[in-house]
Amino acid sequence: QICLSLVKLLFYLAHSPLGSIVLLDFQPRQFVMVDGNLKVTDMDDASTEELSCKEDNDCTLEFPTKSFPLKCSAVGKCEGINEKKNLFNAYRYFFTYLLPHSAPPALRPFLSDILNATGDLRYGINETLRAFEKVLHLYKSGLYLQKRPLLLKDYISLKGFRAVEGEDYKCWPSYSHLGCLLSIHGAEEAAAICSSQSQCQSFIVTQQRTWTGRPLASFQSSPTDLVPDASTVVYIKRSASLGERL
């Protein structure tokens, strides 16, 4: 969410009515999330000036660990230097820390491609935004789940019950520090996640939703402590011992 919102912001800056705007003091502290959207808190160091040049050799974009040769345009300006400076700063301050860690495994190659392409400045902001929107579409639609074995058949579903809430085993990247609360496309994906975790014996699909509209599922190690709840369904591994209480 943070990276996509940043890319949308940089897309606007690259195509603003004032021309291409560069953020000269590009640091994470310069941004804040407001209602799910990333905003710039300080525009004092923004500029529409693009580096003047006489030849291509005048247009090297320098960073502490990398440099990129750019073209000198016919009007004597380094082509796309403001856009590329913003994009590489987004890569080194945001993408490298946030993109690799929390996506479903099937989507990580797409994010890795974005990471590599922006890190080498092979993508401009237009291509980067399209790539992010493609990943978001796959994520929201569940298309990344194709060709997976169906595992929900290995679970017993009990309508009108849920497991007692409390501190349980932890997982990454959980939305709760007390247990394992993950974003899913549906019960079938939740079953696949539970089957892949040795501690997991049951799960419920909660009423909570993420910013993409996907539900959150709570995964638990003990399926025996159940309480009535008309709005939920608890899914329990057939191999799990339900005990006398059930």
Side-chain angles (χ1 to χ4, degrees):
Q1 180 181 17
I2 293 171
C3 292
L4 175 61
S5 188
L6 176 58
V7 168
K8 288 180 177 178
L9 173 61
L10 297 187
F11 179 85
Y12 173 78
L13 294 179
H15 302 285
S16 84
L18 300 175
S20 182
I21 298 174
V22 63
L23 301 176
L24 298 175
D25 185 21
F26 197 117
Q27 300 284 340
R29 64 174 179 268
Q30 298 286 76
F31 300 89
V32 63
M33 291 292 284
V34 180
D35 296 327
N37 295 305
L38 207 66
K39 307 285 186 180
V40 183
T41 60
D42 185 1
M43 293 293 289
D44 289 345
D45 293 308
S47 173
T48 57
E49 292 294 320
E50 292 197 304
L51 187 65
S52 297
C53 58
K54 293 182 179 179
E55 56 184 25
D56 290 350
N57 287 340
D58 298 329
C59 292
T60 300
L61 183 56
E62 299 279 358
F63 291 97
T65 59
K66 278 190 176 183
S67 62
F68 301 95
L70 303 181
K71 296 289 185 181
C72 183
S73 71
V75 295
K77 297 291 183 180
C78 296
E79 288 185 359
I81 192 168
N82 288 352
E83 172 188 329
K84 292 179 185 297
K85 185 178 289 187
N86 284 342
L87 188 55
F88 189 78
N89 279 326
Y91 159 80
R92 66 181 183 139
Y93 288 118
F94 287 88
F95 297 172
T96 54
Y97 297 104
L98 299 177
L99 283 186
H101 304 298
S102 58
L107 291 179
R108 288 175 193 167
F110 295 97
L111 296 179
S112 181
D113 287 345
I114 294 174
L115 199 61
N116 293 332
T118 53
D120 294 334
L121 285 184
R122 287 185 285 109
Y123 280 1
I125 192 62
N126 295 359
E127 295 90 345
T128 303
L129 180 58
R130 283 197 296 269
F132 267 100
E133 288 178 336
K134 176 183 177 181
V135 175
L136 180 64
H137 172 68
L138 294 172
Y139 186 61
K140 292 174 70 173
S141 65
L143 289 173
Y144 67 94
L145 295 170
Q146 291 179 351
K147 298 180 182 178
R148 280 193 170 192
L150 301 179
L151 298 172
L152 195 59
K153 65 182 185 303
D154 298 332
Y155 291 77
I156 299 168
S157 62
L158 296 173
K159 295 181 180 180
F161 289 94
R162 62 174 172 81
V164 174
E165 293 182 9
E167 189 166 343
D168 208 320
Y169 78 93
K170 312 294 194 301
C171 67
W172 175 261
S174 177
Y175 282 78
S176 170
H177 67 279
L178 296 176
C180 187
L181 188 66
L182 299 175
S183 166
I184 58 163
H185 181 258
E188 187 61 59
E189 184 178 16
I193 292 172
C194 188
S195 296
S196 70
Q197 298 176 346
S198 60
Q199 308 99 312
C200 184
Q201 297 298 314
S202 68
F203 67 88
I204 61 168
V205 180
T206 73
Q207 301 298 309
Q208 296 173 265
R209 300 273 169 170
T210 70
W211 66 281
T212 60
R214 286 163 54 102
L216 294 177
S218 177
F219 300 87
Q220 286 125 0
S221 60
S222 173
T224 57
D225 296 327
L226 303 178
V227 294
D229 187 334
S231 64
T232 61
V233 179
V234 61
Y235 296 86
I236 303 173
K237 280 183 179 177
R238 293 183 183 274
S239 59
S241 174
L242 303 186
E244 295 181 358
R245 186 173 306 182
L246 182 59

Short mmCIF file of all heavy atoms in Angstrom, two decimals, residues 39 112 139 178 181 208 227 234:
data_model
loop_
_atom_site.label_atom_id
_atom_site.label_comp_id
_atom_site.label_asym_id
_atom_site.label_seq_id
_atom_site.Cartn_x
_atom_site.Cartn_y
_atom_site.Cartn_z
N LYS A 39 1.40 11.23 1.52
CA LYS A 39 1.47 12.66 1.24
C LYS A 39 2.87 13.18 1.55
O LYS A 39 3.55 12.67 2.45
CB LYS A 39 0.46 13.44 2.09
CG LYS A 39 -0.98 12.95 2.00
CD LYS A 39 -1.63 13.33 0.69
CE LYS A 39 -3.11 12.95 0.69
NZ LYS A 39 -3.77 13.32 -0.59
N SER A 112 9.87 -8.65 -7.35
CA SER A 112 11.31 -8.69 -7.58
C SER A 112 11.67 -8.04 -8.91
O SER A 112 12.69 -7.33 -9.01
CB SER A 112 11.80 -10.15 -7.55
OG SER A 112 13.20 -10.21 -7.74
N TYR A 139 -3.46 -9.65 -7.08
CA TYR A 139 -3.65 -9.82 -5.64
C TYR A 139 -5.13 -9.76 -5.26
O TYR A 139 -5.64 -10.62 -4.54
CB TYR A 139 -2.87 -8.72 -4.93
CG TYR A 139 -2.85 -8.82 -3.42
CD1 TYR A 139 -2.30 -9.92 -2.78
CD2 TYR A 139 -3.34 -7.78 -2.64
CE1 TYR A 139 -2.26 -9.99 -1.40
CE2 TYR A 139 -3.30 -7.85 -1.25
CZ TYR A 139 -2.76 -8.95 -0.64
OH TYR A 139 -2.72 -9.01 0.73
N LEU A 178 -0.45 -10.67 18.66
CA LEU A 178 -0.83 -11.71 19.62
C LEU A 178 -0.93 -13.09 18.98
O LEU A 178 -0.95 -14.10 19.68
CB LEU A 178 -2.18 -11.36 20.25
CG LEU A 178 -2.22 -10.09 21.11
CD1 LEU A 178 -3.64 -9.83 21.60
CD2 LEU A 178 -1.25 -10.20 22.29
N LEU A 181 -2.61 -13.58 12.12
CA LEU A 181 -3.75 -12.97 11.44
C LEU A 181 -3.27 -12.50 10.07
O LEU A 181 -2.48 -11.56 9.98
CB LEU A 181 -4.29 -11.80 12.26
CG LEU A 181 -5.59 -11.15 11.80
CD1 LEU A 181 -6.77 -12.11 11.92
CD2 LEU A 181 -5.87 -9.88 12.61
N GLN A 208 -13.07 -8.76 9.31
CA GLN A 208 -12.15 -7.65 9.06
C GLN A 208 -11.66 -7.67 7.61
O GLN A 208 -11.47 -8.73 7.03
CB GLN A 208 -10.94 -7.73 9.99
CG GLN A 208 -11.27 -7.58 11.46
CD GLN A 208 -10.04 -7.84 12.32
OE1 GLN A 208 -9.81 -8.95 12.80
NE2 GLN A 208 -9.22 -6.81 12.50
N VAL A 227 -16.60 -21.32 20.92
CA VAL A 227 -17.74 -20.61 21.49
C VAL A 227 -18.70 -20.28 20.37
O VAL A 227 -18.30 -20.14 19.21
CB VAL A 227 -17.29 -19.32 22.21
CG1 VAL A 227 -16.45 -19.64 23.44
CG2 VAL A 227 -16.54 -18.40 21.27
N VAL A 234 -15.77 -21.89 11.67
CA VAL A 234 -14.43 -22.33 12.04
C VAL A 234 -14.10 -23.56 11.19
O VAL A 234 -14.93 -24.45 11.01
CB VAL A 234 -14.31 -22.63 13.55
CG1 VAL A 234 -15.27 -23.73 13.98
CG2 VAL A 234 -12.87 -23.01 13.90
#
